[in-house]
Every structure is written in C-alpha cells, then in structure tokens.
C-alpha cells in the first residue's frame, strides 16, 4: 500500500481478492487513529481552515511485478521519516507526530525516535508550532501534548515513559466530535 500526502492510499489488490483479517501489530495499531486525524485534516482543508497533510515515508522501489497490475515486490526506506504531519494554519507552520499507546499507566518514550526529537527541536527553533497527538487507547482518550514538554521530558527525566497523570496535567484532552473527529486546532488557537 502506498500513502499519498493527502492521507489517501493506493493498494494494488484486486476487488476480487478475499478480505483479510485485521492483524494487530505495532505497525498498524494506530491506523484508526491516523484515519481520524486524516479525516480531521480533510475537514480543515475543505473548509479552507488549514492545509495539513500526512507526510509519506520515503521509499525507493527496487522491483515491481506487472503481471497482475503494478505490485511493488521489493522496496526499502530511503531515509528515516521525520514526523507524521505538517502544514500551515493562520500563517504559521505546524508539525506534529501522532502516537497510539496501549499502556494503561504511561506513554513509553521508545515510541519516539531521536531523529524525531531533533526535527521537532529545529521546528521550534524556527518559530513553528510543534506537538504530539497521543491516543491512550486504554482510556479511549486523545491528548495534545506540546513538543517542548515532550522534548524536555525526553532529555531530562529519569523515567523512560511519561506517566498518564502527567499527560493529563500538562496536555489538553481532545474530545472526539462528529466533524472534525479530533479538533486539535482548537488547542492550537488557545496557545497562539
């Protein structure tokens, strides 16, 4: 499957193929959360509120099988991806990462890579708005947590995870709504 910047996807499977079972893994665990964010971004775009897109992971295609349509059979990641989303809102650059966690007591920092921290530090240095949207699946809650908070915790805390009580204290709960699903720009408005 290939992901496009607008959040859409392309899968070269035939409509006649058998439906496959959903496999829960770290790679696809956050897909429904990601889909909800993509729908929120589409809502913002359609109403000319903001332009925020999903950043695709850069891949280098090595081999394609054209016998039953175009199917990528061998590819590798060109470089590490930075964050999930970026765009523009009210003349300001936005950059954020979306993460899901099943952990009922804390958010493990090993979900965040060093290059993502470095990227968000650069965004903040240049005046951009940077944050995390963190889905706590055990609580069925989503929080906006500033990149400054996460970066500071990442560099200075003795723990390897952010306790949920700290996320609730320092973050902003984003309650789901019909449209947009997660109105995270309402938090951005509060902080501007």
């Amino acid at each position: 499957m290939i992901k496009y910047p607008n959040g859409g996807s392309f899968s070269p499977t035939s409509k006649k193929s058998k439906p496959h079972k959903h496999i829960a893994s770290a790679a696809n665990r956050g897909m429904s959360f990601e889909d909800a964010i993509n729908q929120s971004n589409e809502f913002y775009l359609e109403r000319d509120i903001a332009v925020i897109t999903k950043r695709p992971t850069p891949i280098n295609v090595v081999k394609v099988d054209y016998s039953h349509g175009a199917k990528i059979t061998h590819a590798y990641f060109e470089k590490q991806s930075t964050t999930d989303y970026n765009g523009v809102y009210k003349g300001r650059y936005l950059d954020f990462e979306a993460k899901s966690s099943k952990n009922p007591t804390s958010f493990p920092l090993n979900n965040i890579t060093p290059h993502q921290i470095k990227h968000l530090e650069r965004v903040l240095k240049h005046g951009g708005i940077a944050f995390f949207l963190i889905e706590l699946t055990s609580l069925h809650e989503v929080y906006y947590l500033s990149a400054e908070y996460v970066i500071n915790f990442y560099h200075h805390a003795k723990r390897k995870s952010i306790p949920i009580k700290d996320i609730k204290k320092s973050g902003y709960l984003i309650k789901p709504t019909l449209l947009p699903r997660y109105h995270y720009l309402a938090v951005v408005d509060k902080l501007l």
Side-chain angles (χ1 to χ4, degrees):
M1 184 181 325
I2 299 171
K3 292 283 187 178
Y4 294 104
N6 70 357
S9 62
F10 167 78
S11 181
T13 58
S14 166
K15 288 183 179 181
K16 295 179 183 178
S17 65
K18 295 178 184 177
H20 59 281
K21 292 181 180 178
H22 177 71
I23 300 170
S25 72
N28 64 14
R29 173 173 60 214
M31 287 307 291
S32 62
F33 178 48
E34 187 176 284
D35 289 342
I37 294 170
N38 292 341
Q39 290 169 0
S40 298
N41 292 341
E42 190 65 30
F43 174 87
Y44 294 144
L45 183 64
E46 287 173 357
R47 283 154 184 80
D48 201 26
I49 296 168
V51 179
I52 302 165
T53 57
K54 171 94 172 91
R55 187 179 279 142
T57 303
I59 62 167
N60 190 351
V61 177
V62 177
K63 188 175 180 183
V64 178
D65 178 6
Y66 293 101
S67 62
H68 302 309
K71 180 179 179 183
I72 298 171
T73 57
H74 186 204
Y76 63 89
F77 296 113
E78 287 181 8
K79 60 182 180 177
Q80 293 178 320
S81 181
T82 52
T83 52
D84 290 332
Y85 296 91
N86 68 336
V88 180
Y89 176 59
K90 293 186 176 179
R92 299 284 303 273
Y93 177 76
L94 286 175
D95 203 303
F96 68 96
E97 179 70 13
K99 297 287 188 188
S100 286
S101 176
K102 289 184 178 181
N103 191 312
T105 60
S106 63
F107 174 74
L109 289 176
N110 65 0
N111 285 343
I112 304 168
T113 62
H115 74 274
Q116 288 175 323
I117 293 291
K118 188 170 189 166
H119 172 76
L120 291 170
E121 287 172 332
R122 288 176 175 155
V123 168
L124 292 170
K125 178 183 173 187
H126 290 281
I129 299 167
F131 56 94
F132 287 81
L133 291 181
I134 299 176
E135 178 188 41
L136 303 173
T137 58
S138 63
L139 301 175
H140 305 289
E141 294 178 342
V142 172
Y143 285 86
Y144 174 112
L145 199 56
S146 73
E148 294 95 333
Y149 179 85
V150 175
I151 291 166
N152 185 52
F153 199 97
Y154 187 90
H155 287 308
H156 303 293
K158 293 179 182 176
R159 293 181 54 117
K160 298 206 183 282
S161 62
I162 303 172
I164 287 180
K165 66 178 177 59
D166 291 358
I167 292 173
K168 288 180 174 231
K169 181 180 175 185
S170 299
Y172 296 86
L173 177 64
I174 301 174
K175 293 183 180 179
T177 59
L178 183 60
L179 288 173
R181 180 73 175 144
Y182 293 114
H183 189 29
Y184 62 86
L185 289 181
V187 177
V188 173
D189 283 335
K190 287 180 187 178
L191 302 175
L192 279 179

